[in-house]
Amino acid sequence: MKKVSLSDSGPKVSEAIYGFWRWTDEGAVTTTQIEKTVNLCLDLGINTFDHADVYGDHTIEEHFGKIIRNKSFKREDIVLFSKCGIRRSEDKYLTYYDNSREHIINSVNASLKRLKTDYLDIFLLNQSDLLADPEETAGALAEVVTSGKAKHIGVANFTVFQHQLLASYLRIPIVTNHIELNLMNTTAIEDGRIDFIKQSFSKPLAWAPLAGGKILNGTDEKAVRLRAKLDEVGKKYDANIEQTAVAWLMKLGTLPIIGSLSEARIRNGASASDIKLSREDWYDIYQVVGK
């Protein structure tokens, strides 16, 4: 799998990225399981890994840090993301957002400690906090970079206007927006987020590339129609439905974040980079859902 520049500022990342948002730590997840998945990804050419402080209730980064400490691979051979901004009340009843300086600085320090690394390749702000002072937030993100704790910054799930607002307070670039995008949810195309990210000389990160499994298993009329079209087009490329759906995202210039725990699903996502859909086939698929 080839490596591509996430933005004109960097870094170089694999065309598919592995994300840990589906992993939980309820007695079933072990460091060994995660290490097996990481090694599979590396064998397939996926060298870019997406974390957040809250994944697995703040435990998944710790597992990954043990793998880094064990020196299963060289730190410089992987690209490491983490995020902060989503918080939960002590009773887990309320989810809220926090882009304050204190939370950003504390979170990046905690992530570095759990991951057992000196730096992140990208530190992303996860969700826009409506109560934040954008100047304070931008200052904290700049501090994270100038201190060497992260090489780049990004955002996740920001609208175009939220992205523009934060960028207006920064002298360093926002290198990506980590957004939901798949063939069951193409709103990021219609509402201008994809265009704005590209205008910023960046590539979008697309989470939930298979719509949480709906593309493969959904029973509603839209999912059934889409699956039939993906099967029809995929046969031209000797590709299955899953590979074709991910290849569709790659043709758009987005980088899919694979989150499955299944080896077969991870292999399908990685191999999609070898499928080069024609313009005609891309639009043929899009017209099924882009109404």
Side-chain angles (χ1 to χ4, degrees):
M1 181 183 298
K2 72 178 182 179
K3 306 300 184 289
V4 297
S5 293
L6 186 54
S7 78
D8 59 347
S9 306
K12 287 270 192 178
V13 299
S14 48
E15 285 186 293
I17 293 163
Y18 189 82
F20 288 92
W21 79 90
R22 294 194 188 283
W23 291 76
T24 61
D25 195 57
E26 298 175 349
V29 174
T30 66
T31 303
T32 301
Q33 286 176 305
I34 292 180
E35 185 168 22
K36 181 180 178 181
T37 297
V38 170
N39 287 333
L40 171 63
C41 288
L42 293 172
D43 288 344
L44 295 172
I46 299 172
N47 77 331
T48 307
F49 299 96
D50 176 59
H51 289 272
D53 54 357
V54 294
Y55 290 170
D57 196 19
H58 298 81
T59 62
I60 304 303
E61 288 182 326
E62 190 171 348
H63 286 298
F64 199 92
K66 291 176 182 177
I67 300 170
I68 290 179
R69 186 182 60 192
N70 292 341
K71 298 184 178 178
S72 298
F73 47 81
K74 294 180 180 178
R75 170 64 182 88
E76 58 269 25
D77 290 340
I78 66 169
V79 182
L80 201 54
F81 301 175
S82 194
K83 303 182 288 296
C84 86
I86 297 176
R87 302 190 71 174
R88 295 188 179 97
S89 56
E90 288 187 12
D91 59 7
K92 307 294 174 65
Y93 175 74
L94 176 68
T95 296
Y96 63 102
Y97 308 127
D98 188 346
N99 293 172
S100 66
R101 179 189 178 278
E102 180 182 15
H103 183 62
I104 290 169
I105 300 301
N106 288 343
S107 293
V108 73
N109 287 337
S111 286
L112 292 174
K113 183 178 180 180
R114 286 191 292 266
L115 289 165
K116 294 182 171 54
T117 184
D118 295 329
Y119 69 95
L120 296 168
D121 294 279
I122 302 183
F123 183 66
L124 300 102
L125 205 54
N126 198 0
Q127 300 286 347
S128 178
D129 171 11
L130 301 178
L131 302 179
D133 176 343
E135 185 173 7
E136 175 188 321
T137 298
L141 292 173
E143 184 179 335
V144 166
V145 173
T146 56
S147 66
K149 294 175 181 178
K151 293 185 176 181
H152 305 278
I153 58 166
V155 294
N157 306 307
F158 272 47
T159 67
V160 171
F161 291 120
Q162 290 167 345
H163 193 154
Q164 287 176 320
L165 174 63
L166 182 59
S168 71
Y169 284 87
L170 285 162
R171 294 186 178 181
I172 55 177
I174 296 171
V175 300
T176 190
N177 191 359
H178 177 293
I179 57 175
E180 182 178 5
L181 175 64
N182 54 65
L183 278 161
M184 294 292 288
N185 182 355
T186 59
T187 55
I189 297 174
E190 286 91 42
D191 67 18
R193 277 176 289 164
I194 295 294
D195 291 336
F196 180 72
I197 297 165
K198 290 182 177 181
Q199 183 186 37
S200 304
F201 306 103
S202 303
K203 292 181 176 64
L205 305 177
W207 62 268
L210 296 172
K214 290 179 183 177
I215 290 174
L216 300 177
N217 305 310
T219 57
D220 60 282
E221 188 265 344
K222 181 178 178 180
V224 171
R225 279 191 295 114
L226 173 60
R227 209 157 40 242
K229 178 58 67 176
L230 289 169
D231 182 55
E232 174 192 330
V233 173
K235 287 175 180 175
K236 298 181 184 181
Y237 300 88
D238 194 25
N240 60 33
I241 289 169
E242 185 171 358
Q243 290 168 316
T244 308
V246 177
W248 185 89
L249 290 169
M250 291 177 167
K251 180 72 174 180
L252 184 60
T254 67
L255 305 178
I257 300 179
I258 301 166
S260 177
L261 280 65
S262 160
E263 178 176 338
R265 298 273 299 275
I266 295 170
R267 289 185 180 276
N268 279 333
S271 60
S273 65
D274 297 325
I275 301 165
K276 309 301 179 187
L277 294 177
S278 70
R279 181 173 268 99
E280 180 181 358
D281 286 333
W282 189 93
Y283 276 101
D284 191 20
I285 294 169
Y286 181 50
Q287 287 175 6
V288 173
V289 295
K291 306 296 184 183

